[in-house]
Amino acid sequence: GEERRGEEYVVVVILSSSSCFFWMGRLRVGFGLLLARGWSIARRGTAGRRGMSWRSHGKDNASLVEALRGNEILRSASVANAMLLVDRGLYCTKDGGRAYVDAPQAIGAAATISAPHMHAYCLELMRDHLKPGARCLDVGSGSGYLTAIMAHMVDGGGVGGRRGKATGIEHIPELVEESRRNARRDPKTAPLLESGALELLVGDGRLGHAVGGPYDCIHVGAAASEVPAALTEQLAEGGRLVVPVGQEGETQNLCVIDRKGDGSLATEEVMRVVYVPLCSKSHQLDKRRWM
């Protein structure tokens, strides 16, 4: 778990056994290798010193959250408590035996559910904008897992009338149907879906969902080649957008974009990542033949 510096290794990774693609390169110790959606390469703060985030495995949801806490990826009670409320095992339906492994998992339609450590990182980046009563949007909602966590954070149980709303938007209809089934069988999340505090919709996330905005927080679960203007336009004053930006198949920057009181945008690049692209439905489904 300790990070060592100044050493180099040659790494050979089989990316696709069926098409015999190989990738070779030199990686410095202290950086992670990213092969699928939702892996981080470089991390800030103590998490990188104390342990590799992708070692935050669990045997069940509670032990997964505890591992993320132990590696100081989860730092706040609000995020940890929300993650405890949403059992990841109910949303990893293609390979439930690996639901609590800290790695991306396939969910069908050439899509994945991100690694738990990436969800935790992003939630920590958004936590001050996911308060009870807030409105938030999850672009590329996939399995519905992260959207459900966001819904618990903004719902607040209706205390003081502060009941927010989390909307997930996904362009693959079969994934949206699956995400709704996931939420319905989740006993702690089903009431949010029934009440409308959690909404899972079919749509092109690159365009956002203007009718539900403006949003206090927008999360994007795929890499945009450039920041989608529609999403920044749908940010409320003081709102935050968390989005990976970069080209498909390359390392990208996880960006935090805040809308200031004067309407201007402030952007910070917080870590290097590799996500699947924020693309058209046809482009994504074409990837099925390679998987």
Side-chain angles (χ1 to χ4, degrees):
E2 292 297 322
E3 180 176 294
R4 295 186 296 165
R5 301 180 182 275
E7 297 183 34
E8 293 185 345
Y9 292 84
V10 175
V11 179
V12 179
V13 180
I14 300 175
L15 292 183
S16 173
S17 58
S18 60
S19 53
C20 296
F21 289 140
F22 293 85
W23 179 89
M24 298 184 67
R26 291 186 179 275
L27 297 177
R28 299 189 66 86
V29 174
F31 288 81
L33 180 61
L34 287 179
L35 298 178
R37 169 181 170 179
W39 286 87
S40 60
I41 290 182
R43 302 167 305 285
R44 302 189 308 169
T46 58
R49 294 194 300 270
R50 293 204 50 184
M52 296 180 184
S53 57
W54 54 90
R55 288 182 177 170
S56 300
H57 307 314
K59 295 180 179 179
D60 53 25
N61 200 59
S63 60
L64 171 63
V65 172
E66 186 58 34
L68 291 165
R69 276 174 161 166
N71 282 333
E72 296 187 12
I73 299 161
L74 279 179
R75 298 173 176 231
S76 64
S78 61
V79 174
N81 290 340
M83 290 189 74
L84 284 170
L85 287 172
V86 183
D87 190 332
R88 183 176 162 93
L90 297 174
Y91 296 79
C92 291
T93 58
K94 300 299 181 184
D95 191 359
R98 292 179 56 80
Y100 310 110
V101 173
D102 195 7
Q105 306 294 335
I107 59 172
T112 61
I113 180 174
S114 295
H117 75 271
M118 276 312 304
H119 279 150
Y121 276 126
C122 289
L123 287 164
E124 288 289 352
L125 289 171
M126 298 186 292
R127 72 179 186 227
D128 292 336
H129 303 266
L130 293 173
K131 301 292 188 182
R135 300 179 71 84
C136 58
L137 178 67
D138 184 21
V139 174
S141 51
S143 70
Y145 170 71
L146 184 65
T147 322
I149 295 174
M150 295 166 71
H152 280 283
M153 293 182 72
V154 302
D155 177 63
V159 176
R162 296 182 301 168
R163 173 152 280 176
K165 184 172 184 176
T167 299
I169 188 163
E170 167 63 53
H171 62 182
I172 307 295
E174 64 193 79
L175 290 181
V176 175
E177 286 303 314
E178 180 69 16
S179 69
R180 291 170 180 164
R181 285 193 291 271
N182 294 341
R184 289 190 193 105
R185 65 169 165 257
D186 181 347
K188 296 178 181 177
T189 300
L192 299 182
L193 188 66
E194 293 167 4
S195 71
L198 169 63
E199 184 178 41
L200 298 163
L201 305 175
V202 178
D204 187 342
R206 297 171 296 181
L207 304 178
H209 183 59
V211 70
Y215 298 100
D216 301 290
C217 190
I218 301 176
H219 168 267
V220 183
S225 57
E226 58 185 29
V227 179
L231 298 185
T232 56
E233 290 168 2
Q234 291 170 35
L235 273 182
E237 180 180 318
R240 170 165 287 188
L241 167 64
V242 175
V243 54
V245 179
Q247 300 303 311
E248 179 178 2
E250 300 178 6
T251 56
Q252 303 131 0
N253 290 307
L254 185 64
C255 295
V256 173
I257 302 172
D258 294 323
R259 181 171 291 284
K260 302 299 185 181
D262 61 4
S264 63
L265 299 171
T267 302
E268 180 185 6
E269 297 176 354
V270 296
M271 69 174 75
R272 300 283 282 171
V273 295
V274 172
Y275 278 62
V276 297
L278 186 65
C279 60
S280 68
K281 176 182 175 181
S282 60
H283 182 80
Q284 179 172 333
L285 293 179
D286 187 57
K287 292 178 179 293
R288 280 174 160 172
R289 64 194 181 94
W290 298 107
M291 299 182 72

